[in-house]
Amino acid sequence: MIIVIGAGPAGLAAAEAASRNGTDVALIDSAPRKGGQYWRHQTAVKGYRSNRADTLFAKIENASSITHISEATVWSIEKDGNLFRVNYLQGGQESSLTAEKLILATGAYDRSLPFPGWDKPGSMTPGAAQSLLKGHGVLAGKKVVVAGTGPFLLPVATGLAESGAEIVGLYDANTPLRWALSPHALLLNPSKFLELIYYARLLKRFSVTPQFKRAVSSFSEGSATISRVNSKFNIVAKRDKSRLVDVVAAGWGFTPDLSLGGIVGCAQRVDVDGTTIFSVDDAQRSSVENVWIAGEATGIGGADLSLIEGEIAGLSASGQGVRPLLNFNRMRKQIFANALKRSYPIRDGWQSWSDDTTTICRCEEVKMSEIRESVTELGAEDSRTAKLFTRAGMGLCQGRICSRNVSEIVAGLTHCTVSDGERIASSNRPIASPISLGLLGDGKK
Amino acid sequence: MKNPDAIVIGAGIVGASVALSLTNAGFKVLVIDRGAVSSGTTGAGEGNILVSDKDPGPELTLALRSRDLWFEMQDDVGDTFELEAKGGVVVARNDDGPLMILASEQSNHGVTIQKLDHTSLHELEPYLDQRYQSGVFYPQDSQCQPMLAAAHVIRTVVQRGGAFISQAKVTRILVNQGAVTGIETTQGNFSAPIIVNATGTWAGELAQMAGSHLPIAPRKGFILVTEPTKKYVFHKVYDSDYVANVASSDADLQTSTVVEGTRAGTILIGASRERVGFDGSMNYEILRRLAAQATSLFPVLRDVQLLRAYRGFRPYAPDHLPVIGEDATVKGLWHSAGHEGAGIGLAPGSAALITDAILGRESFMDGSAFSPARFEKVSL
Ligand SMILES: Cc1cc2nc3c(=O)[nH]c(=O)nc-3n(C[C@H](O)[C@H](O)[C@H](O)COP(=O)(O)OP(=O)(O)OC[C@H]3O[C@@H](n4cnc5c(N)ncnc54)[C@H](O)[C@@H]3O)c2cc1C
């Protein structure tokens, strides 16, 4: 049997591919429905080429060798002889499942950058705004600013607009001119033009014009300040504009969740854009025998790439051959994914948006001034020591949101770059999801 | 810094304390660490400053003095490291005989104790399982935030004319005619007539660099940290088998839980003891045992969520006593290391012993039980 963890595009594709030769698959996901973050829909999927999702959902439902274990949150994985024991929480109970092989497809979450007011109600990630809408049919607010960087802002803005929100502004801190750096990526992926046209048309219908080199630099009491930024993300003075809004949805690319692969011991590396990811081979095999990894955790690349990686992982793990065309398609999408990273970089200028009182770690309410003092007064030189001194990253989210930002702030203050070792170490979380002491103790052998 | 009077290797709590005590005695001190401040075991410690878990003997004498020196250090450096005389409560579920005998002996050696019956025990700890019949209260047991303490102490040393160089790994200890002359590091060479090896779990490696020998090895420990909760635990609470575990030489896993609440509202549950070298892997069975023990002390903790678990490597010597004093063969090389699970508590006391010995003045106790010379023929 193979356990696939994560039922987003990569995990669904992996489960479906593995089931083709009758291999038993258990597909575990914490959400009630299949689809992951991206296809978190109540009914049929709307959006560009989303009938793909419905086709895949149907295949999974029809495959008798796939068991979908929903609303199950994996908190740890142990090695038990040559089996992996996956421990998960479901309906207030702890259960476990063992298998010889694992496919990890745990996806990614939006990266947030701090600015004054980013921790106020009304400020959220585009992913959160979208999931409120897709998962619960709740519109986050009437007047919305969508900001950050990257093409993912487009489906979020159009999705919110289609549901009746007024998109007050759509701001990208980078400029599309950066695509000129990667013409080959566009030529190899002509369908991306069609996707762009699809969203451009939709935006036009809602009279939304994207603006570039702009960022939300503060938010308070229903008003967002939009600033012009230069190519380093530093605010260009005296170009600020205020906008009355209910919601600021700001997203700065994605951070994969590496907890489970980290627990199993899969080797990690740092991607070109500074994101910590897993090293995998051509067949999506990790450094640990019998563990495959697919999707965002092997490099942020979006649903298209995740689907292909998932399929390759599923085929390889179930002992089926991988057609060369699939490998070629993955390469094409990877070239595009790398061009995305080049076109939408996150520059250090964001560190200047915060003032002393800006919250950096929301869970433990650690302010910028405390992080600065941990460096200048106490000699912190990396996020680990800054964390020990300030508690940044010790709260509920375990640094998933702030630890990368803290590393970069500390590096900025000490005029260093964040080392790969530090980036990798900060993703080490032995408790992948909280578990009550009662359940934990009851599971004692 | 040109020509320091002394070099302290290691910026954990032990090194920081020695650096401060030498600085206050008039030395110009250079502190060196291969990482940042508190990047070793001090960054994984819990911050207990205990007298309750020590049997009468030299370690208890050191612990009692050291505990008072913590408060003197706070007066000197400032109230910056969350030092608090919280008090410890040691409980017995069934036979409290051994605990009561130990408490009486400790009391004869200067430990303040208060024996508790069922009523007074449950007044002190209202959420403790009613099945616990009796216990002992140790008001001297205290705690601090050790990483902040090391950082603030080193900062004070620097303010008083010392220096701290981080990210400098010591690669050689230079010895000439049986006496130290300096060190070679990844950031250059430094010379000084006095070198203090305060590298904790790595102290054996350092001794070897000087051609000497110290049998210090790692003893792994896990700590659990919960979400912030309502105040359920008011002191440091542990079951009396803990004392037996601390003193044990058994290589196998031992868990006996110390439960306490922190200022941040989280509950800390520690700690296991295991001799498995520097194997950093997580062992969920240990976490389960710690959780089971904590919830049997405090059933109310069953619904509290565990957020994190971390581990560290305690530095221990074969006889479970710290190594404090001048090297047996190399003159000018001093050791303060191997404090095992009590390095936070024992740090300022150890520093005072070393400073007194360097100055040749009388100290608060006879430190010969901690002498590095005791290992000349022992190895692990
Ligand atoms: C889980 C756990 C819980 C604990 N709880 C408590 C407690 O509650 N109370 C208590 O008193 N104690 C506790 N301890 C024990 C305590 O943490 C240690 O005894 C203490 O931190 C040791 O301090 P140290 O300064 O000797 O070592 P460290 O903090 O390890 O400092 C040694 C320093 O030496 C540096 N170093 C090593 N090699 C070199 C080199 N070649 N060149 C330069 N620098 C070098 C290291 O980088 C390190 O910073 C606990 C330990 C663990 C693991």
Side-chain angles (χ1 to χ4, degrees):
Chain A
M1 186 170 79
I2 301 176
I3 298 178
V4 178
I5 305 177
L12 290 170
E16 188 276 322
S19 74
R20 282 180 211 160
N21 70 352
T23 303
D24 284 328
V25 176
L27 176 61
I28 304 188
D29 194 280
S30 55
R33 287 184 206 86
K34 297 184 215 37
Q37 313 264 10
Y38 182 59
W39 286 335
R40 193 204 293 253
H41 308 81
Q42 289 196 304
T43 51
V45 176
K46 284 200 284 179
Y48 180 72
R49 279 186 61 190
S50 44
N51 54 338
R52 280 184 315 188
D54 300 330
T55 317
L56 197 50
F57 291 172
K59 278 190 186 162
I60 300 261
E61 264 141 46
N62 294 332
S64 57
S65 57
I66 303 178
T67 317
H68 178 205
I69 304 175
S70 62
E71 294 179 90
T73 305
V74 177
W75 77 270
S76 66
I77 302 176
E78 291 167 276
K79 201 79 216 265
D80 184 352
N82 59 357
L83 296 177
F84 293 97
R85 176 187 305 281
V86 173
N87 300 316
Y88 61 92
L89 300 167
Q90 189 185 37
Q93 294 297 322
E94 189 194 0
S95 309
S96 63
L97 200 64
T98 54
E100 267 155 48
K101 293 174 183 173
L102 288 182
I103 300 178
L104 304 178
T106 47
Y109 49 91
D110 298 80
R111 180 170 180 202
S112 292
L113 296 180
F115 56 86
W118 76 294
D119 52 333
K120 298 246 167 70
S123 165
M124 59 183 74
T125 62
Q130 203 182 34
S131 81
L132 275 175
L133 184 69
K134 286 184 182 173
H136 308 277
V138 174
L139 191 58
K142 283 298 299 172
K143 287 169 163 298
V144 183
V145 159
V146 177
T149 194
F152 176 65
L153 303 177
L154 302 177
V156 172
T158 53
L160 293 170
E162 277 180 326
S163 322
E166 180 193 338
I167 304 298
V168 176
L170 171 55
Y171 303 104
D172 195 310
N174 283 299
T175 132
L177 294 176
R178 294 189 59 84
W179 277 105
L181 297 170
S182 324
H184 57 293
L186 292 171
L187 292 173
L188 272 169
N189 292 276
S191 72
K192 286 290 165 190
F193 282 113
L194 300 177
E195 189 169 346
L196 195 66
I197 292 166
Y198 172 87
Y199 285 116
R201 276 199 175 143
L202 267 179
L203 286 171
K204 197 143 183 238
R205 206 167 85 213
F206 297 113
S207 327
V208 179
T209 318
Q211 286 185 285
F212 301 97
K213 302 188 82 94
R214 280 175 180 74
V216 174
S217 59
S218 75
F219 173 59
S220 79
E221 286 166 29
S223 160
T225 306
I226 316 300
S227 298
R228 263 192 82 101
V229 295
N230 63 18
S231 59
K232 299 266 186 293
F233 282 19
N234 285 314
I235 293 174
V236 182
K238 301 206 182 72
R239 297 278 184 98
D240 288 359
K241 242 190 258 166
S242 275
R243 291 265 187 246
L244 289 179
V245 295
D246 305 317
V247 168
V248 170
W252 301 92
F254 298 90
T255 308
D257 195 333
L258 307 181
S259 312
L260 294 178
I263 287 174
V264 178
C266 301
Q268 298 169 19
R269 67 184 178 89
V270 177
D271 203 354
V272 287
D273 59 350
T275 308
T276 310
I277 57 173
F278 290 110
S279 307
V280 289
D281 70 3
D282 278 352
Q284 301 294 133
R285 260 189 223 107
S286 76
S287 66
V288 174
E289 206 186 346
N290 289 330
V291 180
W292 285 256
I293 306 180
E296 307 297 34
T298 62
I300 300 297
D304 290 359
L305 179 58
S306 295
L307 283 166
I308 298 172
E309 289 179 353
E311 187 174 349
I312 292 174
L315 292 172
S316 167
S318 58
Q320 305 177 66
V322 177
R323 282 167 297 129
L325 181 64
L326 212 48
N327 284 320
F328 173 74
N329 279 338
R330 178 177 53 188
M331 186 196 71
R332 225 159 39 100
K333 303 287 180 201
Q334 273 166 345
I335 289 173
F336 190 77
N338 284 331
L340 276 176
K341 291 165 203 160
R342 205 170 313 138
S343 302
Y344 300 97
I346 312 292
R347 302 293 194 186
D348 288 343
W350 64 262
Q351 296 171 25
S352 65
W353 304 345
S354 293
D355 55 35
D356 271 358
T357 61
T358 306
T359 302
I360 303 298
C361 164
R362 286 195 299 204
C363 304
E364 293 287 333
E365 297 177 17
V366 180
K367 305 263 178 268
M368 185 64 150
S369 57
E370 296 170 69
I371 307 279
R372 288 208 180 108
E373 278 159 26
S374 77
V375 173
T376 55
E377 306 291 311
L378 297 179
E381 292 171 15
D382 51 29
S383 65
R384 176 177 183 260
T385 22
K387 165 175 157 179
L388 292 176
F389 295 151
T390 63
R391 303 192 55 79
M394 289 197 181
L396 194 63
C397 89
Q398 285 295 290
R400 285 178 173 85
I401 294 171
C402 72
S403 73
R404 183 168 174 186
N405 295 341
V406 172
S407 286
E408 290 177 6
I409 293 170
V410 173
L413 291 168
T414 51
H415 309 289
C416 296
T417 47
V418 183
S419 72
D420 286 5
E422 177 179 344
R423 289 189 189 277
I424 289 170
S426 67
S427 65
N428 175 17
R429 294 184 190 93
I431 312 292
S433 177
I435 174 170
S436 72
L437 291 175
L439 288 181
L440 182 64
D442 290 346
K444 185 169 66 90
K445 274 188 219 115
Chain B
M1 171 183 257
K2 273 241 168 83
N3 306 318
D5 301 324
I7 296 173
V8 174
I9 311 171
I13 191 60
V14 171
S17 305
V18 178
L20 181 65
S21 124
L22 286 173
T23 300
N24 288 348
F27 287 76
K28 219 162 59 168
V29 181
L30 170 64
V31 181
I32 298 268
D33 201 291
R34 64 176 173 199
V37 68
S38 296
S39 57
T41 312
T42 299
E46 249 181 309
N48 291 323
I49 300 169
L50 301 186
V51 297
S52 57
D53 66 341
K54 313 270 183 313
D55 283 325
E59 202 187 1
L60 178 60
T61 312
L62 178 62
L64 276 166
R65 177 73 188 127
S66 201
R67 184 259 176 212
D68 291 344
L69 286 173
W70 263 105
F71 286 86
E72 287 178 24
M73 198 153 79
Q74 175 179 248
D75 292 341
D76 186 18
V77 168
D79 181 4
T80 47
F81 39 78
E82 302 177 9
L83 184 66
E84 192 184 346
K86 198 173 194 188
V89 172
V90 184
V91 298
R93 177 171 274 187
N94 302 312
D95 175 17
D96 67 359
L99 171 64
M100 295 302 163
I101 294 170
L102 174 67
S104 303
E105 284 172 4
Q106 286 169 322
S107 159
N108 294 337
H109 286 80
V111 179
T112 311
I113 62 149
Q114 187 188 330
K115 294 188 176 173
L116 304 169
D117 60 11
H118 189 272
T119 313
S120 51
L121 173 61
H122 291 272
E123 261 164 31
L124 280 181
E125 288 296 338
Y127 294 94
L128 185 71
D129 191 328
Q130 287 296 328
R131 286 175 296 175
Y132 284 93
Q133 298 299 328
S134 55
V136 178
F137 179 50
Y138 292 88
Q140 286 156 315
D141 279 356
S142 304
Q143 79 177 44
C144 69
Q145 210 280 34
M147 310 84 180
L148 279 178
H152 281 282
V153 167
I154 287 182
R155 183 183 170 206
T156 307
V157 165
V158 173
Q159 281 167 351
R160 294 181 186 168
F164 172 46
I165 300 178
S166 61
Q167 317 295 341
K169 187 175 160 105
V170 175
T171 46
R172 267 176 68 195
I173 294 181
L174 309 170
V175 180
N176 188 10
Q177 297 185 340
V180 289
T181 58
I183 55 171
E184 180 187 277
T185 81
T186 49
Q187 289 194 34
N189 291 10
F190 301 90
S191 42
I194 294 174
I195 306 227
V196 183
N197 171 17
T199 55
T201 316
W202 301 274
E205 280 173 34
L206 271 285
Q208 215 165 27
M209 288 180 197
S212 186
H213 157 83
L214 276 188
I216 307 262
R219 196 174 187 195
K220 180 157 98 168
F222 286 102
I223 292 182
L224 309 188
V225 189
T226 70
E227 64 181 336
T229 64
K230 206 184 125 191
K231 202 157 172 65
Y232 290 130
V233 183
F234 294 81
H235 304 86
K236 301 171 175 300
V237 181
Y238 59 90
D239 203 309
S240 47
D241 347 313
Y242 174 80
V243 186
N245 268 353
V246 170
S248 163
S249 305
D250 199 336
D252 286 351
L253 166 69
Q254 287 144 3
T255 53
S256 49
T257 312
V258 182
V259 183
E260 68 176 302
T262 67
R263 276 204 201 171
T266 57
I267 308 248
L268 291 186
I269 301 164
S272 55
R273 289 162 190 274
E274 230 184 328
R275 296 197 303 191
V276 288
F278 280 109
D279 168 11
S281 61
M282 193 38 65
N283 181 336
Y284 292 96
E285 214 36 52
I286 296 183
L287 307 194
R288 290 188 193 280
R289 274 162 69 167
L290 289 170
Q293 289 174 5
T295 52
S296 84
L297 281 166
F298 292 96
V300 61
L301 297 182
R302 281 193 61 86
D303 292 328
V304 173
Q305 301 284 320
L306 173 69
L307 292 190
R308 323 189 261 132
Y310 63 89
R311 51 123 183 89
F313 296 100
R314 303 179 188 86
Y316 85 96
D319 56 4
H320 301 279
L321 286 178
V323 182
I324 308 167
E326 192 170 20
D327 189 83
T329 53
V330 183
K331 280 204 83 56
L333 176 64
W334 295 74
H335 303 288
S336 182
H339 294 79
E340 197 159 345
I344 315 295
L346 300 180
S350 308
L353 275 179
I354 293 234
T355 303
D356 291 343
I358 287 176
L359 291 175
R361 69 185 179 198
E362 203 185 323
S363 202
F364 60 91
M365 70 179 286
D366 167 16
S368 56
F370 310 129
S371 161
R374 71 188 196 267
F375 298 122
E376 274 186 301
K377 299 209 169 45
V378 185
S379 70
L380 285 189

